Amino acid sequence: MIQTVLDDTRPTVLAMIVKVEGSSYRKEGSWMLLQENNVRIGMISGGCLENDLHNRAAQLFNTGKAETVRYDLSAEDDLGWGRGAGCNGIITILMRDIDSDFRRILHIAHVQVLAKEPVYFLQSLTDFSRYGCTALNGSQYGKIQLKLPFNLNTMAPFQEAAKQTTIGEEIVYFQLIWPRPVLYIIGAGADARPLARLSGSAGYEVHLLDWRSGVCNEVHFPTAASIQIGDVAKLISNVKFSPLDSVVLMTHDFQIDVEIGRHLLGQKLLYFGILGSKNRTERIFDGELPSSVHSPAGVSIGADGPEEIAVSIMAELIAVRRGKSL
């Protein structure tokens, strides 16, 4: 979403949820862009608030101003938002016209996430003109310079961290922005296609690696961020993996899986899954399944066929990224 703002300079208003009391469709930290040409990117609710937000955005375009809007959706019989939202929550949304200075802060944040490093976004809710970001190394940018009440280096990968904190007499909203999740799919057989499609739709940056140009190509993987063809062992050795990266090994070639699997075992990854039975994976690692390896890859839902297996793997990827146990 930050990339969209930086690439498209047409008048745009950012809407972000800064507080939720009770339950809601989206949580603190959810962003949505509303553009002057009626384009909407992202969602704040299940569709019940977007029209009202766009009407409010029309009053903010090109003003450099910001405001907060509070929506009470707790009444199940309240038809004020269409059919009665019944979300049982009260949502506070900050709306801000994205001017040149705010774009500058977003650019700094974008540089950090491109380097696969999280960055903290800070916004005063007492004085809307005070906002900025803090990098992993402690460098601070913008009009707000505050000592963070937490250590970025100790945060669990991709865990949500969006909240309000009172510092002195100022209410400050903090949001930890993580880099886009990356998924490497090793093996571009027919069963890799639905996994690449689903993971791309879920926001992953997908990279394909295979030795066969006939199956590993843009025709079968049109949305992949990259397609690498060649000696898979050599290709993998050139990848600089991050602890935020995920890998699914699905070549269906046992000898290749042995070589690649043992190499990946030495990498620090967020998720490492291998397609196939647990017994097969144990053979890859000389009879013992390493604790860091998910095998068989995917949640046990009785999946049958490429599409269902892709769904099960995606469920496990999301659970690991969100820190949920299965």
Side-chain angles (χ1 to χ4, degrees):
M1 192 170 291
I2 293 178
Q3 181 72 61
T4 300
V5 173
L6 298 178
D7 290 343
D8 189 344
T9 58
R10 75 187 70 188
T12 302
V13 166
L14 168 65
M16 65 170 68
I17 299 179
V18 295
K19 187 176 182 179
V20 172
E21 302 167 70
S23 63
S24 67
Y25 182 77
R26 302 294 305 276
K27 303 300 181 183
E28 291 93 339
S30 299
W31 288 25
M32 177 182 179
L33 299 178
L34 304 112
Q35 297 182 322
E36 196 173 38
N37 59 347
N38 290 322
V39 171
R40 303 172 186 176
I41 302 171
M43 293 183 69
I44 286 292
S45 71
C48 50
L49 302 180
E50 277 68 14
N51 287 337
D52 187 69
L53 288 171
H54 213 114
N55 291 335
R56 293 177 183 273
Q59 308 303 314
L60 292 174
F61 290 131
N62 296 313
T63 66
K65 296 181 179 180
E67 65 179 22
T68 55
V69 187
R70 188 170 181 266
Y71 294 98
D72 187 346
L73 307 177
S74 58
E76 294 185 4
D77 59 349
D78 182 1
L79 299 179
W81 306 110
R83 291 285 298 173
C87 293
N88 297 316
I90 300 173
I91 305 171
T92 301
I93 298 174
L94 173 69
M95 302 187 67
R96 169 181 294 284
D97 174 55
I98 300 178
D99 58 13
S100 59
D101 187 68
F102 195 78
R103 287 180 191 275
R104 180 180 66 85
I105 294 300
L106 290 181
H107 173 73
I108 294 171
H110 188 57
V111 170
Q112 297 299 311
V113 297
L114 286 181
K116 294 190 176 182
E117 294 185 355
V119 60
Y120 248 108
F121 171 74
L122 297 80
Q123 169 68 64
S124 171
L125 299 180
T126 304
D127 180 353
F128 294 145
S129 68
R130 285 170 47 79
Y131 52 82
C133 63
T134 299
L136 190 64
N137 63 7
S139 299
Q140 295 190 326
Y141 307 90
K143 299 176 183 178
I144 188 166
Q145 304 282 324
L146 295 173
K147 180 177 175 60
L148 295 178
F150 28 69
N151 186 346
L152 278 175
N153 292 285
T154 62
M155 298 295 296
F158 293 111
Q159 298 308 293
E160 297 178 345
K163 62 180 180 180
Q164 294 184 26
T165 301
T166 301
I167 302 177
E169 297 183 355
E170 186 173 32
I171 300 175
V172 180
Y173 170 76
F174 296 92
Q175 180 176 345
L176 185 55
I177 300 174
W178 289 96
R180 185 181 180 186
V182 175
L183 172 63
Y184 291 90
I185 301 177
I186 305 174
D191 52 354
R193 298 172 195 174
L195 178 59
R197 183 174 63 252
L198 283 175
S199 54
S201 297
Y204 281 82
E205 178 184 297
V206 181
H207 300 269
L208 271 296
L209 296 88
D210 197 284
W211 63 97
R212 302 160 295 181
S213 60
V215 297
C216 191
N217 52 54
E218 292 183 359
V219 174
H220 296 314
F221 301 97
T223 61
S226 76
I227 294 174
Q228 302 180 49
I229 302 169
D231 185 320
V232 180
K234 291 182 179 178
L235 294 175
I236 284 293
S237 66
N238 292 326
V239 176
K240 294 182 179 179
F241 290 105
S242 158
L244 302 178
D245 294 341
S246 298
V247 177
V248 176
L249 182 57
M250 50 192 310
T251 71
H252 298 284
D253 185 307
F254 184 75
Q255 294 305 319
I256 292 178
D257 283 359
V258 169
E259 185 175 10
I260 301 303
R262 294 180 182 182
H263 172 78
L264 290 173
L265 197 60
Q267 304 293 321
K268 188 176 181 180
L269 300 167
L270 180 67
Y271 175 92
F272 176 23
I274 300 180
L275 194 70
S277 69
K278 181 179 178 180
N279 179 267
R280 180 182 185 276
T281 302
E282 288 175 343
R283 289 169 52 212
I284 291 174
F285 299 105
D286 294 327
E288 185 175 348
L289 180 64
S291 60
S292 60
V293 176
H294 295 261
S295 178
V299 179
S300 180
I301 57 173
D304 181 32
E307 296 286 347
E308 292 185 3
I309 291 172
V311 170
S312 73
I313 294 175
M314 275 308 306
E316 190 168 52
L317 282 166
I318 293 171
V320 170
R321 182 157 61 98
R322 300 299 186 193
K324 302 296 184 182
S325 58
L326 295 172

